[in-house]
Amino acid sequence: MPASEVMDIRDLKPVFTQEQIATRVRELASEIDGVYGDEPLVVVCVLKGAAIFFSDLIRNLHNKNLELDFVRLSSYGRESTSSKHVIFNKDVEIDICDKHVLIVEDIVDSGHSMCFLLGQFAARRVRSLRLATLVDKGERREMDVALDFVGFTLKKGFIVGYGLDYDERYRSLPGIYEITPE
Ligand code: PRP
């Protein structure tokens, strides 16, 4: 379908429902609490796609020593296919040197975005660095990225909703759906 054409939600193929996501996010938060307890932790949201996952995840964490920050990466542009070129539009504002850092991402696909960000953060001598992703999609993986917390594993398909977009559309859908890009 052309990017300019917005499909009705009833015509999209459901992949993960709002309820499935909510359950999995609570489970992930519990896993993360199990690792960090109340250790000071900087949780970094990768804008824009992870915004909704991040906001749900942090509200399920019990850690009393959280700091929140944001980076903005972009790689796809208007295309639905991956690009090796990652643009680092916005950096964190907190000094993460010597801190535990958890990156929160919506989807790891080719792995280029996270390979880039992990490299950037590792160079800042953080105390520890882990990665939580809502979706691990192996279809186009090109870079070996260690995923510490994974919500769902998906073999293939272009998905939208719950923060994920197709040409900036569909991010606000409460569930995740498969779409067939043009
Ligand atoms: C998407 C997605 C991930 C990245 C994953 O972001 O949100 O950050 O691509 O792809 P990769 O593993 O192949 O690098 P995008 O660049 O589309 O920006 P967005 O988060 O603003 O949607």
Side-chain angles (χ1 to χ4, degrees):
M1 62 170 289
S4 56
E5 197 180 304
V6 181
M7 285 183 73
D8 190 285
I9 188 170
R10 287 168 298 191
D11 298 325
L12 296 171
K13 184 179 155 201
V15 178
F16 304 117
T17 65
Q18 185 174 4
E19 293 72 24
Q20 285 173 316
I21 296 168
T23 300
R24 195 67 194 111
V25 169
R26 282 195 295 273
E27 290 170 352
L28 282 178
S30 168
E31 276 182 53
I32 293 166
D33 277 337
V35 170
Y36 297 103
D38 275 327
E39 282 274 309
L41 174 66
V42 182
V43 190
V44 177
C45 173
V46 183
L47 296 170
K48 301 179 192 175
I52 295 174
F53 172 43
F54 175 84
S55 66
D56 284 344
L57 185 70
I58 55 171
R59 287 178 295 168
N60 278 283
L61 293 175
H62 292 97
N63 189 324
K64 296 184 188 70
N65 291 297
L66 289 183
E67 289 182 278
L68 309 180
D69 213 332
F70 301 83
V71 295
R72 167 89 174 105
L73 299 180
S74 50
S75 58
Y76 284 10
R78 288 176 59 89
E79 303 299 322
S80 58
T81 53
S82 182
S83 152
K84 292 186 175 69
H85 189 61
V86 179
I87 304 164
F88 198 5
N89 308 75
K90 182 207 173 304
D91 203 345
V92 286
E93 290 160 23
I94 295 170
D95 180 3
I96 58 173
C97 177
D98 207 29
K99 293 193 175 163
H100 294 296
V101 174
L102 174 66
I103 298 171
V104 176
E105 176 65 299
D106 55 343
I107 184 167
V108 176
D109 193 353
S110 71
H112 284 285
S113 301
M114 284 308 97
C115 197
F116 171 83
L117 190 61
L118 288 163
Q120 288 279 328
F121 281 3
R124 299 179 197 182
R125 289 177 285 122
V126 290
R127 179 166 295 184
S128 73
L129 186 55
R130 291 188 176 88
L131 171 57
T133 184
L134 181 65
V135 179
D136 171 16
K137 196 176 85 161
E139 186 181 12
R140 289 189 299 220
R141 189 64 44 85
E142 292 174 5
M143 308 301 284
D144 195 17
V145 180
L147 306 175
D148 301 286
F149 307 98
V150 175
F152 301 101
T153 303
L154 201 63
K155 280 203 178 113
K156 60 188 176 96
F158 192 89
I159 52 173
V160 296
Y162 199 71
L164 291 144
D165 75 311
Y166 173 46
D167 195 26
E168 295 300 330
R169 315 281 183 119
Y170 307 104
R171 290 195 198 271
S172 62
L173 295 179
I176 292 179
Y177 299 82
E178 186 173 349
I179 195 169
T180 308
E182 63 180 352

